[in-house]
Amino acid sequence: MCGIVGYVGRPGAPGAAAGGGAAVALEGLRRLEYRGYDSAGIAVVSEGAVAVRKRAGKLANLVELLDADPLPAAHTAIGHTRWATHGGPTDANAHPHVDGTGRVAVIHNGIVENFAALRAELRESGVEFTSETDTEVVAHLLGAQLERTGDLTEAMRAVCLRLEGAFTLLAVHADAPGVIVGARRNSPLVVGLGEGANYLGSDVAAFIAHTREALELGQDQVVTITPDAVDVVGFDGAPAQGRRFHVDWDASAAEKGGFPSFMAKEIHDQPQAIADTLLGRTDAGGRLQLDEMKISEAELRAVDKIVVIACGTAAYAGQVAKYAIEHWCRIPVEVELAHEFRYRDPVVSERTLVVAISQSGETMDTIMAVRHAREQGAKVLAICNTNGSTIPRESDAALYTHAGPEIAVASTKAFLAQITACYLLGLYLAQLRGNKFADEVADVLAQLHEVPGQVRQVLDGLEQVREIARYMADTRSVLFLGRHVGYPVAMEGALKLKELAYIHAEGFAAGELKHGPIALVEPGQPVFVVVPSPRGRDSLHSKVVSNIQEVRARGARTLVIAEQGDTEVEPYADVVIRIPRTSTLLSPLLAVVPLQVFACELATAKGLDVDQPRNLAKSVTVE
Ligand code: AGP
């Protein structure tokens, strides 16, 4: 989720910036800081050359560099804030990236899925890389195309046809002052339409200070902007149209993509978070590859136990993954709260794989548990959303989620991305250890690739849930029941309601109800029940329907999450919330979404700050 800014202006024109391109780019990057980033940079075209300044860390570091070594005056500039995916947050990995001549500069948001093959091809041709990024591959490909065509637009089109994955690209060329070329596939790009100046941005926040007239680019389109013209073509070269719109949002709303909160925006970012986490995980033959893991195949084959360590929502992701990994790999999986694991004498050995799940990578409880595990001789794999953070740095290997920066304190898109990454790990182990044939792995991967669309379907049908949440704004206690993979979903649903709406909420394993918690049920008690697919393991569904009857018989108000077509739940449900059909093991990725939206909407109805709930921090960096 990098931040992208582009500016071209006619000197002295009404819309042109007084401070020149670098100042406009820097100001745009400041408006994109909310997106979270770990490095930043700017490139300008001036006097027949491209000049670049870039630094790891916050914008202040870039400003310090610009003060010491200013960019030349220019009216063509591109700026970038990077959220590291391929390669840590370093000066060298910061964008913009240039080709070997230094005469074309590129910035990028997204993931080039086939960058490894392209990198190898370029190396073969003698290219020497200066960074670990997928973006630098694009810079060299553009440079090579420019030698052939001399035209930046044509060069961009030709390069885009070779790229796979999700990308927004901006490029400038020393021989083309006053021109920026952009391209997008599966990643946003908008044009800001000014007078004597035009802008580009990953979202309107980049240029809303200068113009509210915008043009949204469509899939597989290339745009060429000059101070007085905007021209759009498809990757195939045919003329194309973007979607013209007027930006009604104020600057604050622009940062949230028009949503009322980062929490709401990030819930709706979940399809993209899952899709991006799945990107680049298979080789040309379709076999799963997790080459960033850096634990040898021999060591992974020898693993005889997996221990997941995490806190809060991340721990619930681990609990969901337990069911899948044990089923696919036949390896025992324990899920431990990191702060508990830290203080006991766990039975681990060099054949234990400890999986540390963390969005921030800075949770002190989990850091201390990682250190404890390594002291006990275990191999540690981090599943993390923040490249270069402490937990992956102190682990033996890392598997990164690509959910993008999660701004809201309560975790949503990171949760789904963590489950997705855990499933990739489980499938990889099953493939490596021979528990699953390649076609079986491919089948599950195909189902996973359908999940973003299914989550989108769930999100598009939740007005019922929002109405219920507003109606229940005064409720003081809600119970959540689930069985099998539905149990950690129930726990996560309860946690969301606690941390967003400050309501007593408790998640239970549905089978545990009769062992005590059912005493809590009194007439009118709201109870959410996460129902497994009736097409799954037969006992699961019928048992949970019995649990619904048990609480309904005692006057509970039952709100049931069930797959489309499951009619058996209807006689016992006051409310049925439908999710698309999917396999039992993948259903948590869908079933949790209504619970996230319920908690967010109820908290909003109570007038609470859903992005920064009381008493909470985004990353708990103390034990
Ligand atoms: C999630 O909504 C909470 N904010 C919290 O439980 C969080 O998941 C936990 O603190 C772990 O954080 P981490 O993933 O950054 O390690």
Side-chain angles (χ1 to χ4, degrees):
M1 289 287 281
C2 305
I4 282 200
V5 188
Y7 164 76
V8 282
R10 225 170 348 97
V24 175
L26 187 59
E27 178 212 353
L29 294 183
R30 284 203 174 93
R31 289 186 177 278
L32 295 176
E33 279 199 282
Y34 73 89
R35 295 166 73 101
Y37 63 100
D38 44 49
S39 61
I42 294 172
V44 299
V45 177
S46 174
E47 295 170 1
V50 167
V52 176
R53 301 287 187 277
K54 57 184 186 176
R55 269 287 181 274
K58 293 306 178 190
L59 275 183
N61 294 357
L62 178 62
V63 170
E64 186 180 347
L65 173 63
L66 290 168
D67 289 344
D69 184 10
L71 283 164
H75 292 278
T76 306
I78 55 177
H80 187 268
T81 49
R82 178 173 183 250
W83 176 263
T85 52
H86 294 91
T90 63
D91 291 354
N93 288 337
H95 301 202
H97 286 282
V98 298
D99 74 328
T101 70
R103 295 180 61 76
V104 63
V106 181
I107 58 178
H108 167 220
N109 179 24
I111 298 162
V112 176
E113 193 170 349
N114 60 331
F115 91 97
L118 293 170
R119 193 179 176 100
E121 177 193 306
L122 286 162
R123 272 222 179 91
E124 278 294 305
S125 67
V127 167
E128 290 187 17
F129 286 89
T130 58
S131 79
E132 306 160 273
T133 66
D134 52 349
T135 309
E136 191 185 352
V137 165
V138 178
H140 290 294
L141 289 173
L142 270 176
Q145 282 297 332
L146 278 164
E147 281 176 25
R148 296 190 189 92
T149 68
D151 179 287
L152 189 55
T153 304
E154 283 309 300
M156 178 66 85
R157 266 194 343 98
V159 169
C160 285
L161 291 172
R162 299 203 60 198
L163 305 181
E164 296 168 12
F167 49 86
T168 300
L169 297 167
L170 295 192
V172 292
H173 186 211
D175 298 344
V179 177
I180 301 178
V181 174
R184 67 149 302 225
R185 168 179 283 172
N186 298 327
S187 176
L189 180 59
V190 283
V191 181
L193 304 168
E195 288 179 28
N198 286 310
Y199 307 80
L200 285 162
S202 36
D203 65 54
V204 297
F207 53 70
I208 196 170
H210 301 283
T211 178
R212 288 178 171 275
E213 294 311 311
L215 181 76
E216 181 184 22
L217 288 190
Q219 181 76 322
D220 288 6
Q221 290 185 345
V222 174
V223 63
T224 303
I225 67 168
T226 65
D228 302 306
V230 173
D231 179 59
V232 182
V233 295
F235 284 5
D236 60 2
Q241 297 292 330
R243 178 182 69 87
R244 182 75 188 261
F245 66 99
H246 176 80
V247 183
D248 293 323
W249 306 326
D250 62 24
S252 167
E255 290 178 356
K256 299 161 192 153
F259 287 96
S261 63
F262 283 112
M263 169 58 62
K265 177 178 182 296
E266 286 159 9
I267 287 173
H268 283 77
D269 283 347
Q270 293 185 119
Q272 192 69 46
I274 295 167
D276 287 350
T277 299
L278 289 171
L279 274 179
R281 305 297 189 183
T282 52
D283 62 20
R287 273 178 65 83
L288 204 52
Q289 57 171 17
L290 299 182
D291 50 11
E292 65 196 271
M293 278 209 1
K294 299 190 181 63
I295 293 182
S296 73
E297 292 191 356
E299 286 171 317
L300 291 173
R301 284 197 183 91
V303 166
D304 62 4
K305 178 163 79 166
I306 292 174
V307 178
V308 176
I309 55 175
C311 300
T313 291
Y316 298 143
Q319 283 192 16
V320 168
K322 168 191 171 75
Y323 294 90
I325 295 176
E326 286 186 336
H327 180 64
W328 292 334
C329 305
R330 311 312 300 149
I331 302 174
V333 178
E334 296 171 11
V335 182
E336 285 266 5
L337 291 171
H339 38 80
E340 286 297 316
F341 177 86
R342 161 92 174 78
Y343 291 102
R344 70 181 184 81
D345 295 322
V347 179
V348 298
S349 73
E350 70 285 351
R351 295 184 65 188
T352 306
L353 177 64
V354 170
V355 178
I357 304 176
S358 176
Q359 188 286 130
S360 64
E362 299 301 344
T363 298
M364 188 50 72
D365 287 323
T366 309
I367 292 171
M368 299 309 287
V370 165
R371 290 174 183 165
H372 190 50
R374 301 196 76 202
E375 285 158 12
Q376 312 292 319
K379 279 274 181 281
V380 179
L381 165 69
I383 290 183
C384 187
N385 194 45
T386 310
N387 204 305
S389 56
T390 302
I391 290 170
R393 255 203 339 268
E394 295 200 9
S395 299
D396 298 289
L399 183 55
Y400 285 104
T401 53
H402 295 305
E406 193 173 63
I407 311 295
V409 167
S411 188
T412 50
K413 62 176 183 174
F415 177 62
L416 296 197
Q418 286 161 356
I419 293 173
T420 304
C422 287
Y423 284 178
L424 289 170
L425 172 64
L427 289 170
Y428 182 74
L429 289 172
Q431 171 184 285
L432 188 69
R433 299 160 62 102
N435 301 90
K436 273 189 172 297
F437 296 118
D439 59 342
E440 294 170 309
V441 171
D443 286 349
V444 181
L445 277 177
Q447 290 174 47
L448 271 170
H449 280 286
E450 287 175 14
V451 170
Q454 293 172 321
V455 172
R456 173 65 55 218
Q457 273 184 58
V458 176
L459 288 167
D460 292 344
L462 288 181
E463 192 44 44
Q464 165 205 36
V465 170
R466 291 189 182 86
E467 285 168 18
I468 292 164
R470 290 190 288 269
Y471 172 75
M472 290 176 61
D474 297 329
T475 193
R476 302 185 59 74
S477 162
V478 180
L479 306 183
F480 295 77
L481 301 184
R483 194 183 283 259
H484 194 262
V485 288
Y487 168 35
V489 172
M491 300 294 283
E492 172 60 11
L495 176 59
K496 282 290 150 306
L497 195 58
K498 279 183 265 197
E499 59 181 342
L500 292 176
Y502 316 152
I503 287 174
H504 174 263
E506 203 155 347
F508 298 105
E512 188 63 9
L513 204 59
K514 54 190 172 301
H515 299 289
I518 199 164
L520 288 172
V521 178
E522 54 193 24
Q525 168 69 53
V527 179
F528 276 97
V529 186
V530 180
V531 180
S533 167
R535 298 169 297 114
R537 290 186 173 177
D538 54 359
S539 60
L540 273 179
H541 182 266
S542 56
K543 286 285 187 305
V544 176
V545 172
S546 301
N547 297 139
I548 300 173
Q549 294 179 52
E550 286 163 21
V551 294
R552 190 80 177 310
R554 290 161 175 81
R557 183 159 183 266
T558 52
L559 302 103
V560 172
I561 296 175
E563 79 172 22
Q564 281 145 6
D566 179 356
T567 55
E568 285 182 62
V569 300
E570 290 170 359
Y572 318 108
D574 292 297
V575 174
V576 181
I577 299 161
R578 293 291 179 185
I579 59 174
R581 287 185 165 194
T582 187
S583 68
T584 300
L585 291 174
L586 300 192
S587 62
L589 292 163
L590 307 183
V592 76
V593 177
L595 302 181
Q596 296 168 335
V597 170
F598 175 79
C600 182
E601 191 70 21
L602 195 153
T604 303
K606 292 181 70 173
L608 300 173
D609 178 351
V610 293
D611 287 338
Q612 305 288 340
R614 70 185 182 194
N615 309 337
L616 295 179
K618 184 58 187 170
S619 179
V620 182
T621 55
V622 292
E623 268 201 292

